[in-house]
Amino acid sequence: MQKTTKTLLFAIYILVVVCMGAATVIEKYMGSDYVASCIYGSWWFVLLWAVLAALSIVYFVRHMTKAWTGIALHMAFVIILVGAFVTHVSSQRGQIHLRKGVFSNQYTIVDKDNKYHEATLPFEIRLDSFEVKYHAGTDAAQDYVSIFTINDDGKSVKGKVSMNKIFSYGSMRLYQASYDNDMLGASLSTNSDPIGIPVTYTGYALLFISLVGMLLDPRGAYRKLLHSKMLKRGALLIAMLFGMYAPNENGAYAEDKSGDVKARSLPQETAEQFGNLFILYNNRICPMQTFAIDFTKKLYGADSYKGLTAEQVLTGWIFWGDDWMNEPMLKIKGGELKNTLQLPDYVSANTFFNKEMGGYTIGPYVKEYYDGNHDKFNTQAVAIDDKIQLLVNLQRGVVLKIFPYTQQGKTTWLAPTDEQPQTMSLQNKRFIKSVLALLYSEAEAKNYKQMDEIVGKLLKYQASNAGTSLPTANQVAAERTYNDIPFANNLFMLCLTMGFVTFMYTVARLCRKCRTGNSLDTHADIIIVWLSRGIMLAAFISLSYCEYLRWTISGTMPMANGYETMLFVTWIVMLVSLALSFRFRILLTCGFLMSGFFLLVSHLSEMDPQITHIMPVLNSPLLSIHVSIIMIGFALLSLTFICGLTALIVRYLNHNSADIMLALQQLSLLFLYPAIATMGIGIFVGAIWANVSWGEYWGWDPKEVWALITFMVYAAALHPKTLPQLHKPIVYHIFMVVAFCTIIMTYFGVNYFLGGMHSYA
């Protein structure tokens, strides 16, 4: 009977995980509404969870643990499931559309089948005002604010909602949802769940307490692991070697600098002066240098061109665009279009303009793309067209929004082609119309000193007319420093090189230890270990400085997109491996490898390293807490993967490695327990944030689902009594290596394949 219960329990457990994973794929093709009604909201999916909970309770009672943390942890999951069920059957969500000055008591509710019905509110509500708050001088929204009045049986109550700030009235909570284009109307989401939310939050609170207790309980498995004889013996003696590729002065791979640039350009000093100007770019005010670097990277794939700085490239295109149209600096990626047209790796912009062939040669392919033909050929044509359009807009001056105008506390940044406000002074209008023409003439005459003076006057104009929209001096200094140092590029080469070399040395040394049984350190071993530790410390300080600069520039904790979270998880890996390397030297190798891989992914993938203002809904302290805790969990789980990979390679090379396999298992478990704790707490904090922002603590978004799958898969490894096979080091390490696929899917698969609210890159 017990065996049957156990078999059925694991079958249902695996089935739930598989169903959730399959649902995220189905959602990509069938849509969110379909999976919400046909899978997540279906009777059979609810029944699966109910059966899983019931079997778990039965099995847990029969094998009752004496540890209070284990009892509390499993009770927490049951309470959370009960709360979710109560919410599913009793909560009511809806949306109120309001117009300014008009009372309304009608709203739309969503039933359990995701169908919409009109209903009557228990009160009347009137929109008094709606406002979109912007970051100074930009069109980037900072917040959405609705102020309203509730009339309930003659009682009048004033209310206000904005992003991440809700308003509660009775059992109903109101959230900011959207607004009308004329700014005279707004929509508020409603949620009434007076029973389900308290029950669920009780479960989350118990989950938090039990997860922390799991690490602190002196009688718990984790504290016993810390006193393991295998860990105390320090059986793993790992030596480190040093080596790195040398990047060029721009931090990129060595580029082809053969040949001279035929197009004209400014001297470096004069171009750098131009780079000191401010521009509205990516919906924030930043130094022109930042725009120049992104401009050059977009065209050429590097932040310099044949010895010319990004500022020289940008100003060259501005003042001598016709010359630069013949310069072969447009990087063409491999693909069908490149092969069909037989294009080299780098071409000039004029390559795509041919009068004999009808003008813009890739124009028809771009049109086919926007008409619906998204094959690889036309997709690459659009990628090239994006670069051409950038050049066209630059030569027209459309992108050069460098002229601020402030009126009644609101600042607008204008390009020379923009229509000038009627209220602008005649003097400022003349300055805007003449200053670029003066720069053109001085550039043609090579009067670079006069150009510097004109740029100085333009800087004074910006300071006088930008209101409060200019970044602080500290932010400007931080951004220029950040632009000058290619942190991620240099660090990934350093860490990967150290990782691969030391990994091979580690495997060889462990195999040699298995044969000889000798674990004594030589003098050379000690020197190499301390040298490697010093390199790791230098890398950690460098990455910390990079994070500090991004935080200073944006004004918010740098964890708002995929690139920034990847940097943060790298930072955690470095910190953990460096701190624990004094006891477990192998962690230096683990830290170098995982840091290098994470940084390489951030460097080579489609992640966008540009610094932008975050969306209003993300402007919450709960976001920083949620993301940072989840990333700590991912970082720790990545170390279990390296431990497993090392163990399997050592086992393959030398079968007489039982002690090392066991030691690596103990070390892996040392990371697994806090990883599970941080994953659970991170999900708990994320649920609170979602409830505050959207009115529902769990939305079955693909990222949420895969985070839960990851948690459930890795949690299985903490049940060796139930799964005795995991006592065997070889089985445990294989499980850890395979389980790492769920992290890859959670972080990368969702971002680049599945999509969803949480997908960012």
Side-chain angles (χ1 to χ4, degrees):
M1 181 65 180
Q2 291 183 2
K3 186 175 180 181
T4 302
T5 303
K6 178 180 175 180
T7 302
L8 187 58
L9 171 61
F10 281 110
I12 298 297
Y13 193 87
I14 294 172
L15 183 59
V16 168
V17 170
V18 171
C19 286
M20 290 193 295
T24 61
V25 178
I26 294 172
E27 181 176 354
K28 177 178 175 61
Y29 299 100
M30 302 298 292
S32 299
D33 291 341
Y34 177 84
V35 293
S37 59
C38 297
I39 299 180
Y40 299 130
S42 65
W43 64 268
W44 60 266
F45 190 71
V46 175
L47 181 62
L48 269 181
W49 279 103
V51 172
L52 178 62
L55 289 173
S56 299
I57 292 172
V58 171
Y59 187 83
F60 185 77
V61 170
R62 289 179 177 175
H63 302 80
M64 179 68 74
T65 177
K66 295 180 180 179
W68 70 267
T69 54
I71 297 173
L73 184 60
H74 290 83
M75 283 182 59
F77 290 125
V78 173
I79 294 173
I80 290 171
L81 287 176
V82 171
F85 178 75
V86 172
T87 296
H88 179 70
V89 299
S90 67
S91 67
Q92 190 172 76
R93 295 184 293 116
Q95 191 168 81
I96 309 171
H97 180 252
L98 302 174
R99 293 292 293 177
K100 186 175 180 179
V102 179
F103 273 106
S104 174
N105 64 350
Q106 297 297 307
Y107 77 129
T108 304
I109 60 173
V110 185
D111 63 19
K112 306 309 172 189
D113 297 323
N114 280 333
K115 295 181 179 179
Y116 297 88
H117 306 279
E118 293 297 320
T120 302
L121 288 165
F123 52 80
E124 289 185 324
I125 183 171
R126 177 190 68 200
L127 179 66
D128 297 327
S129 66
F130 173 80
E131 178 186 8
V132 179
K133 295 184 178 180
Y134 297 94
H135 292 278
T138 75
D139 293 328
Q142 186 177 26
D143 204 356
Y144 306 101
V145 183
S146 293
I147 298 176
F148 50 85
T149 300
I150 292 177
N151 188 0
D152 187 3
D153 290 334
K155 182 177 67 173
S156 182
V157 178
K158 290 285 186 181
K160 175 182 176 181
V161 295
S162 60
M163 302 310 297
N164 294 305
K165 296 179 181 178
I166 64 177
F167 179 84
S168 297
Y169 187 78
S171 63
M172 182 175 289
R173 297 180 298 164
L174 305 178
Y175 307 79
Q176 179 63 50
S178 61
Y179 62 94
D180 297 348
N181 292 332
D182 60 4
M183 306 292 286
L184 297 177
S187 294
L188 307 181
S189 295
T190 69
N191 184 25
S192 180
D193 187 17
I195 302 175
I197 289 178
V199 173
T200 303
Y201 274 18
T202 300
Y204 279 131
L206 187 58
L207 176 67
F208 175 82
I209 294 171
S210 57
L211 287 173
V212 174
M214 178 180 70
L215 303 179
L216 301 180
D217 184 8
R219 297 182 180 179
Y222 188 66
R223 293 294 293 273
K224 292 179 181 178
L225 176 66
L226 292 176
H227 294 89
S228 166
K229 292 182 179 180
M230 183 62 70
L231 292 178
K232 282 186 173 184
R233 275 186 357 212
L236 305 176
L237 303 175
I238 309 302
M240 302 296 165
L241 296 177
F242 172 79
M244 63 179 292
Y245 301 112
N248 60 28
E249 66 272 17
N250 296 310
Y253 295 112
E255 59 180 273
D256 180 15
K257 293 188 178 181
S258 60
D260 296 327
V261 179
K262 297 179 180 179
R264 288 171 286 179
S265 61
L266 293 176
Q268 184 173 340
E269 296 78 9
T270 303
E272 286 179 358
Q273 279 290 97
F274 198 85
N276 289 329
L277 293 171
F278 294 99
I279 184 173
L280 173 59
Y281 170 61
N282 261 351
N283 252 334
R284 72 182 185 93
I285 312 303
C286 63
M288 183 75 76
Q289 181 196 48
T290 300
F291 173 61
I293 291 173
D294 289 348
F295 173 83
T296 308
K297 284 182 177 179
K298 184 176 180 66
L299 297 183
Y300 189 59
D303 57 7
S304 65
Y305 175 68
K306 294 185 177 180
L308 297 180
T309 66
E311 294 98 319
Q312 288 177 290
V313 173
L314 176 64
T315 52
W317 277 100
I318 291 175
F319 297 119
W320 299 287
D322 291 341
D323 288 3
W324 282 83
M325 288 291 288
N326 294 311
E327 196 65 36
M329 71 169 297
L330 269 66
K331 183 176 182 179
I332 306 299
K333 295 182 178 180
E336 292 187 11
L337 185 144
K338 179 181 179 181
N339 296 333
T340 302
L341 301 183
Q342 296 184 343
L343 297 174
D345 292 339
Y346 295 93
V347 301
S348 68
N350 274 337
T351 301
F352 304 102
F353 293 91
N354 190 321
K355 293 182 180 179
E356 296 180 0
M357 298 180 62
Y360 190 35
T361 57
I362 63 172
Y365 312 134
V366 175
K367 184 178 184 301
E368 288 178 8
Y369 177 88
Y370 289 111
D371 286 342
N373 186 357
H374 293 175
D375 61 16
K376 294 181 179 179
F377 184 93
N378 291 319
T379 299
Q380 190 175 15
V382 169
I384 297 173
D385 180 67
D386 287 342
K387 299 181 180 182
I388 300 295
Q389 294 305 316
L390 174 61
L391 297 176
V392 171
N393 288 331
L394 178 65
Q395 291 182 311
R396 290 173 52 205
V398 173
V399 298
L400 294 177
K401 293 185 177 293
I402 59 176
F403 301 104
Y405 171 67
T406 301
Q407 185 182 32
Q408 296 180 350
K410 182 178 181 181
T411 303
T412 304
W413 284 70
L414 306 170
T417 55
D418 290 336
E419 183 178 350
Q420 297 173 345
Q422 295 181 355
T423 53
M424 180 182 287
S425 68
L426 183 60
Q427 180 182 1
N428 285 349
K429 289 181 178 180
R430 289 175 177 172
F431 180 81
I432 293 175
K433 285 189 175 181
S434 63
V435 66
L436 287 181
L438 287 173
L439 286 170
Y440 280 118
S441 62
E442 299 296 352
E444 286 287 344
K446 298 184 179 180
N447 294 328
Y448 303 127
K449 184 176 181 180
Q450 286 82 350
M451 287 191 72
D452 291 344
E453 293 177 356
I454 295 172
V455 170
K457 292 179 180 179
L458 184 49
L459 278 168
K460 290 181 179 178
Y461 173 89
Q462 291 183 331
S464 300
N465 294 275
T468 60
S469 65
L470 289 181
T472 65
N474 191 33
Q475 288 176 309
V476 173
E479 185 151 5
R480 294 190 69 86
T481 301
Y482 180 80
N483 289 338
D484 290 339
I485 304 175
F487 290 97
N489 186 79
N490 288 348
L491 288 176
F492 97 72
M493 288 190 291
L494 169 65
C495 292
L496 270 188
T497 303
M498 287 290 295
F500 281 126
V501 173
T502 58
F503 183 73
M504 290 185 290
Y505 188 91
T506 296
V507 172
R509 185 168 174 79
L510 290 177
C511 291
R512 186 164 61 249
K513 178 183 180 296
C514 292
R515 293 193 302 269
T516 65
N518 183 16
S519 61
L520 295 177
D521 282 339
T522 66
H523 186 65
D525 290 335
I526 296 173
I527 292 176
I528 293 173
V529 166
W530 277 101
L531 178 61
S532 300
R533 192 173 286 133
I535 294 171
M536 176 64 80
L537 177 61
F540 175 74
I541 293 173
S542 178
L543 185 58
S544 299
Y545 186 49
C546 172
E547 292 282 73
Y548 163 76
L549 292 175
R550 289 187 70 97
W551 195 334
T552 302
I553 295 165
S554 66
T556 57
M557 195 171 182
M559 286 191 294
N561 55 50
Y563 181 82
E564 291 182 341
T565 56
M566 189 61 71
L567 291 186
F568 182 75
V569 74
T570 304
W571 187 86
I572 292 296
V573 168
M574 286 183 175
L575 177 62
V576 172
S577 60
L578 186 62
L580 297 183
S581 68
F582 291 91
R583 187 171 182 181
F584 311 106
R585 294 178 188 173
I586 194 174
L587 290 186
L588 288 172
T589 294
C590 296
F592 278 128
L593 280 174
M594 294 314 301
S595 298
F597 279 124
F598 288 140
L599 289 169
L600 177 63
V601 168
S602 69
H603 179 75
L604 297 180
S605 72
E606 299 176 5
M607 292 181 179
D608 190 352
Q610 295 178 358
I611 300 174
T612 59
H613 292 298
I614 63 174
M615 296 183 294
V617 72
L618 301 180
N619 190 17
S620 168
L622 290 175
L623 167 69
S624 301
I625 298 172
H626 164 62
V627 175
S628 60
I629 295 177
I630 289 287
M631 290 301 107
I632 290 172
F634 284 170
L636 294 173
L637 291 176
S638 71
L639 295 177
T640 68
F641 167 74
I642 292 296
C643 288
L645 189 63
T646 303
L648 295 179
I649 293 176
V650 171
R651 168 78 178 191
Y652 175 78
L653 296 176
N654 194 320
H655 292 286
N656 186 25
S657 56
D659 286 347
I660 290 175
M661 295 281 288
L662 181 58
L664 284 169
Q665 181 184 19
Q666 298 291 302
L667 183 61
S668 179
L669 286 168
L670 187 70
F671 299 128
L672 181 60
Y673 276 92
I676 292 296
T678 51
M679 284 285 292
I681 293 171
I683 293 173
F684 155 72
V685 174
I688 295 178
W689 174 43
N691 198 34
V692 170
S693 298
W694 295 289
E696 51 183 7
Y697 44 82
W698 192 263
W700 295 107
D701 185 70
K703 180 82 77 171
E704 294 176 347
V705 173
W706 274 101
L708 179 59
I709 290 174
T710 300
F711 182 84
M712 293 177 67
V713 169
Y714 276 99
L718 296 183
H719 295 76
K721 292 182 179 179
T722 306
L723 296 172
Q725 296 87 347
L726 290 174
H727 277 298
K728 301 176 181 178
I730 185 66
V731 176
Y732 173 86
H733 290 306
I734 292 174
F735 182 86
M736 287 293 107
V737 172
V738 174
F740 192 70
C741 295
T742 63
I743 293 182
I744 295 175
M745 189 64 191
T746 302
Y747 199 90
F748 301 106
V750 173
N751 287 352
Y752 301 118
F753 176 68
L754 297 179
M757 290 188 302
H758 289 74
S759 64
Y760 44 78

